[in-house]
Amino acid sequence: MKADVQSRLADVQNAITRAAQRSGRTAGDVTLIAVTKTHSVETIRAAINAGVFEVGENRVQEAEAKIEAIGHGSVKWHMIGPLQANKARRAVKLFDMIHSVDSIELARRLERLCVEEGRKELPFLVQVDLGHEPSKSGIAEEELPSVIKEMSGMRRVKAVGLMTLPPFFADPQLTRPFFRRMRVLCDELRAGGYFNQIEIPHLSMGMSHDFEVAIEEGATMVRVGTAIFGERS
Ligand SMILES: *Cc1c(COP(=O)(O)O)cnc(C)c1O
């Protein structure tokens, strides 16, 4: 199991390096987030020993025990799944970054909770709804400027980029236009001054089957589970 994780991780890292080069960048420009939902603390520790520095979980409840066991010393924790209002306080206490801020109300709530919990800064990504699928949340393209404008006035929570979960296609080339659209949106928002001091806003997009295409189109963060840990049971 450990050897499997190690060799699959190496394959993913190599694929990231090659895709980054195809996009005129280097591996250092792309952050790999190892998605560990359903996997044990032992498996996460094996991944950390093999060179994982960033971990993604999609449920607060499940992440809590893992974060308590492993801590923040050697890894950063990313909340990548839908965040319910009643879990927001725990998310503020637990996670280094939240990828799934899908409404202005959630951003306001996180801001208030940061004050209450004495957290000075919480970076987050704005989840964008490109595919308009009922099962996926996010903010519609046309609302992004006004929403991010309000978010950029908040003191503790800080919008540092965009995230998306595009529609699933078995052929990742079919996802390419969605990734490309995200890049254009991100560039437009940055040019318009919406991400105030941030030089290169993050673009969190791409999963096991399509992260290479996402990187070619400008992803700065990829969220990869299955390709590192195998199929989830
Ligand atoms: C599970 C999950 C991933 C990783 O999916 P894989 O296909 O296993 O790489 C990425 N992003 C989110 C939001 C997820 O929930």
Side-chain angles (χ1 to χ4, degrees):
M1 179 64 194
K2 279 187 188 170
D4 282 359
V5 167
Q6 202 164 14
S7 74
R8 282 192 296 238
L9 176 66
D11 290 345
V12 168
Q13 286 167 332
N14 288 333
I16 288 173
T17 301
R18 289 191 301 269
Q21 285 164 353
R22 288 196 296 278
S23 72
R25 297 180 294 159
T26 65
D29 296 320
V30 181
T31 301
L32 169 62
I33 297 171
V35 177
T36 54
K37 62 186 183 212
T38 76
H39 296 295
S40 67
V41 167
E42 288 67 46
T43 302
I44 302 174
R45 287 216 168 97
I48 292 168
N49 287 335
V52 158
F53 298 102
E54 318 265 341
V55 170
E57 284 278 336
N58 75 332
R59 296 180 62 226
V60 173
Q61 186 111 352
E62 184 184 337
E64 188 161 35
K66 297 175 181 178
I67 296 175
E68 275 167 9
I70 294 171
H72 290 263
S74 48
V75 272
K76 284 193 173 157
W77 296 88
H78 297 259
M79 172 59 185
I80 62 171
L83 180 56
Q84 291 157 9
N86 64 353
K87 304 275 169 60
R89 183 182 299 276
R90 277 199 287 166
V92 163
K93 291 193 205 175
L94 290 168
F95 289 96
D96 294 286
M97 185 185 277
I98 296 175
H99 288 229
S100 45
V101 174
D102 58 2
S103 70
I104 189 70
E105 291 76 21
L106 179 56
R108 287 190 199 121
R109 178 181 294 264
L110 291 170
E111 173 73 17
R112 179 167 51 75
L113 291 169
C114 281
V115 173
E116 289 179 18
E117 297 294 332
R119 178 155 183 181
K120 290 214 170 66
E121 200 170 288
L122 174 59
F124 73 90
L125 305 176
V126 180
Q127 186 168 347
V128 180
D129 174 27
L130 284 185
H132 306 296
E133 294 169 280
S135 61
K136 290 174 186 163
S137 56
I139 293 170
E141 272 181 53
E142 42 306 346
E143 289 168 31
L144 281 177
S146 65
V147 168
I148 295 181
K149 194 168 181 109
E150 178 173 346
M151 288 170 171
S152 68
M154 297 178 180
R155 292 180 171 271
R156 305 203 176 205
V157 294
K158 204 168 179 182
V160 297
L162 306 177
M163 176 272 216
T164 201
L165 266 171
F168 178 86
F169 297 102
D171 175 3
Q173 295 303 334
L174 298 177
T175 320
R176 189 182 290 278
F178 292 90
F179 293 142
R180 187 165 293 175
R181 181 69 194 141
M182 286 292 288
R183 170 68 182 278
V184 168
L185 282 171
C186 196
D187 285 351
E188 284 173 0
L189 289 164
R190 189 193 47 180
Y194 284 92
F195 290 110
N196 13 17
Q197 307 95 338
I198 298 158
E199 204 180 323
I200 304 174
H202 275 295
L203 264 179
S204 168
M205 57 189 194
M207 305 174 28
S208 288
H209 76 294
D210 58 11
F211 70 88
E212 291 166 272
V213 174
I215 292 168
E216 287 168 9
E217 295 300 331
T220 68
M221 291 180 154
V222 291
R223 309 178 308 265
V224 180
T226 310
I228 299 171
F229 300 105
E231 292 292 336
R232 288 178 288 273
S233 47

